[in-house]
């Protein structure tokens, strides 16, 4: 395989290691595994688009969708990962002593620099037994903060519903 192409493929997928930054499970030495039916790579634009039952895994992190787009910045680092599908899925376990965070929506966007995940359109998020549902959910990984909205561009409002577990 062309070494330049291999370097771009590695940068496109290895950038996902930042999803687990700061955790033992997703240290940079943990490989990123990607399964898809198709890959379109544009080195100049800094994008990789995986299509067809895409499954990305690194340690305790999972990202699935019918299509996943990876965007890199000028330094070649991952800046954003977006999963699309009828039920795109994200699973992340930032702390091995806590339950994983699981979410699904028609579109999931991970903003690397902000360590923020957006779940858009028929969004659902489970966090330690608490369940959130709405049109748009934002999860701030480091602060463990959830913001929910009912509005989604191009769709009817999707009311927010929450189930919060009592403190133990």
């Amino acid at each position: 395989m062309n070494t330049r192409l291999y370097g771009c493929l590695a940068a496109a997928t290895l950038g996902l290691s930042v999803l687990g930054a700061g955790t033992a499970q997703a240290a940079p030495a943990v490989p990123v595994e990607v399964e898809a039916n198709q890959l379109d790579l544009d080195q100049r634009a800094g994008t990789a688009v995986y299509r067809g039952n895409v499954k990305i895994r690194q340690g305790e992190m999972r990202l699935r969708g019918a299509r996943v787009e990876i965007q890199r910045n000028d330094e070649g680092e991952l800046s954003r990962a977006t999963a699309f599908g009828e039920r795109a899925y994200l699973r992340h376990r930032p702390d091995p002593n806590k339950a994983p965070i699981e979410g699904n929506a028609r579109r999931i966007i991970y903003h690397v620099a902000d360590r923020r995940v957006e779940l858009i359109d028929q969004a659902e998020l489970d966090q330690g037994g608490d369940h959130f549902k709405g049109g748009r959910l934002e999860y701030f990984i480091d602060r463990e903060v959830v913001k929910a909205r009912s509005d989604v561009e191009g769709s009817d409002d999707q009311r927010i519903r929450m189930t919060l577990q009592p403190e133990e």
Side-chain angles (χ1 to χ4, degrees), residues 131-150:
H131 184 80
F132 304 87
K133 188 174 183 177
R136 175 185 294 265
L137 302 174
E138 281 185 280
Y139 180 71
F140 295 83
I141 295 170
D142 296 331
R143 298 183 307 174
E144 296 183 7
V145 169
V146 175
K147 291 186 177 184
R149 306 288 183 267
S150 62

Side-chain angles (χ1 to χ4, degrees), residues 53-98:
N53 192 22
V54 183
K55 297 176 182 177
I56 300 175
R57 175 181 164 188
Q58 183 185 33
E60 291 290 321
M61 187 282 299
R62 307 283 186 276
L63 183 64
R64 294 192 306 246
R67 184 175 91 233
V68 176
E69 297 178 1
I70 306 290
Q71 294 181 330
R72 295 179 292 134
N73 62 22
D74 292 339
E75 289 77 41
E77 300 164 331
L78 178 73
S79 60
R80 185 168 66 196
T82 305
F84 302 87
E86 189 59 35
R87 296 313 291 157
Y89 172 80
L90 172 76
R91 181 181 191 272
H92 180 57
R93 188 177 203 147
D95 184 337
N97 299 317
K98 292 184 179 180

Side-chain angles (χ1 to χ4, degrees), residues 3-166:
T3 56
R4 184 175 169 152
L5 176 61
Y6 178 77
C8 283
L9 286 171
T13 56
L14 290 177
L16 287 172
S17 65
V18 298
L19 279 171
T23 66
Q25 287 81 10
V30 176
V32 176
E33 299 172 26
V34 180
E35 291 180 40
N37 294 337
Q38 180 180 342
L39 166 65
D40 294 318
L41 180 69
D42 184 336
Q43 290 179 215
R44 290 185 184 196
T47 61
V49 179
Y50 299 91
R51 289 185 177 84
N53 192 22
V54 183
K55 297 176 182 177
I56 300 175
R57 175 181 164 188
Q58 183 185 33
E60 291 290 321
M61 187 282 299
R62 307 283 186 276
L63 183 64
R64 294 192 306 246
R67 184 175 91 233
V68 176
E69 297 178 1
I70 306 290
Q71 294 181 330
R72 295 179 292 134
N73 62 22
D74 292 339
E75 289 77 41
E77 300 164 331
L78 178 73
S79 60
R80 185 168 66 196
T82 305
F84 302 87
E86 189 59 35
R87 296 313 291 157
Y89 172 80
L90 172 76
R91 181 181 191 272
H92 180 57
R93 188 177 203 147
D95 184 337
N97 299 317
K98 292 184 179 180
I101 298 140
E102 293 185 282
N104 55 60
R106 289 193 168 156
R107 183 170 35 143
I108 298 174
I109 306 170
Y110 176 63
H111 301 271
V112 176
D114 299 337
R115 292 194 37 86
R116 174 175 59 98
V117 177
E118 287 183 272
L119 298 102
I120 302 166
D121 200 0
Q122 298 183 11
E124 294 186 53
L125 181 70
D126 287 304
Q127 176 193 28
D130 295 339
H131 184 80
F132 304 87
K133 188 174 183 177
R136 175 185 294 265
L137 302 174
E138 281 185 280
Y139 180 71
F140 295 83
I141 295 170
D142 296 331
R143 298 183 307 174
E144 296 183 7
V145 169
V146 175
K147 291 186 177 184
R149 306 288 183 267
S150 62
D151 60 317
V152 175
E153 187 176 317
S155 178
D156 293 336
D157 280 357
Q158 301 169 31
R159 286 184 58 80
I160 298 163
R161 294 182 182 359
M162 296 175 290
T163 302
L164 304 174
Q165 299 300 320

